Amino acid sequence: MARSFAKEQEADCPPPFETLDHGILHEFVGMYLRVAYEVAYEDFTKRLGAEALRPGYFTILTLIVLNPRISQTQIGMASERDKSSITIALRWMEDNGLITRHPSAQDRRTHMCVATPAGIEMQARMQAKSLAHLTALGNAIGPERRADFIQTLKDLIHELRQADIA
C-alpha cells in the first residue's frame, strides 16, 4: 500500500525541469528573438539607471537630437515604429520638456520635432551610459560575428516583410 501511494504522489508531481519536452518550440526563432530582446532590454535599463528612457524613446529622442526639425513621419520610418507609438512617445517627451513640436510652414499637417536643451542633455547622458550596454551586447555576440548577426536580423526582417506582401 505504501508503495502504490508513493507512485500516486509521484504521478501528481510536475516533471523535472531538465526533462521537459519542448517539442517544436526549439525551432521557433521568434521565441529566441523575444527572449533575447527581453534580456537586452533588462541590460539596457539596468545600465542606464533610474532615469533611463525606454529603448524606443531613446531611439526617437536620438533621431530628434541628431536631426532637428525631423517630421513625425520620418521618425516613424527611421525607427520602424507605428504612428500611434510615435505619437505617444512624442507627447510624453513634449510633456516632460525634452522636445517641442512645430507645424511646418509648407504643410501645416506636418509637425517638426526639435530637442530642447533638456532633451539634448538627456540624450547625451543616455548615450554615454548606453556604451556599456553596446559593449556587453558586442561581447555576447562576438566581434567576429557582429556584422553577420546584424545582417541576418536585417535579412529576416526583409524576407518576412516580403512574404507578408505576397
Side-chain angles (χ1 to χ4, degrees):
M1 176 100 175
R3 193 168 169 97
S4 99
F5 180 71
K7 282 194 179 234
E8 272 182 41
Q9 277 189 317
E10 200 175 287
D12 287 343
C13 294
F17 183 79
E18 307 77 42
T19 65
L20 290 180
D21 183 358
H22 286 82
I24 195 169
L25 295 177
H26 284 295
E27 303 298 319
F28 276 45
V29 173
M31 181 180 81
Y32 294 108
L33 288 171
R34 179 191 54 79
V35 173
Y37 173 78
E38 289 172 358
V39 170
Y41 183 96
E42 183 180 325
D43 183 79
F44 179 88
T45 56
K46 205 179 339 172
R47 290 178 191 277
L48 272 66
E51 70 173 352
L53 295 171
R54 294 185 216 168
Y57 284 29
F58 175 70
T59 298
I60 293 167
L61 184 58
T62 298
L63 288 168
I64 295 169
V65 167
L66 297 176
N67 304 281
R69 297 177 309 285
I70 188 172
S71 73
Q72 291 179 219
T73 302
Q74 290 173 314
I75 293 168
M77 289 169 39
S79 65
E80 300 205 33
R81 296 187 175 274
D82 63 89
K83 184 179 177 180
S84 64
S85 64
I86 297 296
T87 302
I88 291 167
L90 293 177
R91 239 183 239 134
W92 183 88
M93 287 182 208
E94 196 168 34
D95 291 347
N96 285 277
L98 301 176
I99 67 162
T100 58
R101 292 188 283 178
H102 309 284
S104 167
Q106 285 115 4
D107 182 355
R108 309 246 337 123
R109 296 171 296 174
T110 300
H111 285 82
M112 300 178 303
C113 302
V114 177
T116 63
I120 293 168
E121 289 173 28
M122 168 69 85
Q123 192 280 334
R125 280 195 314 276
M126 296 294 101
Q127 182 168 311
K129 289 180 177 183
S130 72
L131 294 176
H133 171 67
L134 291 176
T135 299
L137 289 177
N139 290 340
I141 296 165
E144 68 287 349
R145 298 184 317 173
R146 186 179 184 281
D148 287 341
F149 180 74
I150 290 173
Q151 189 58 52
T152 299
L153 291 173
K154 288 178 178 181
D155 292 345
L156 180 109
I157 292 164
H158 176 76
E159 290 298 321
L160 290 177
R161 283 188 176 152
Q162 293 303 313
D164 199 27
I165 292 170

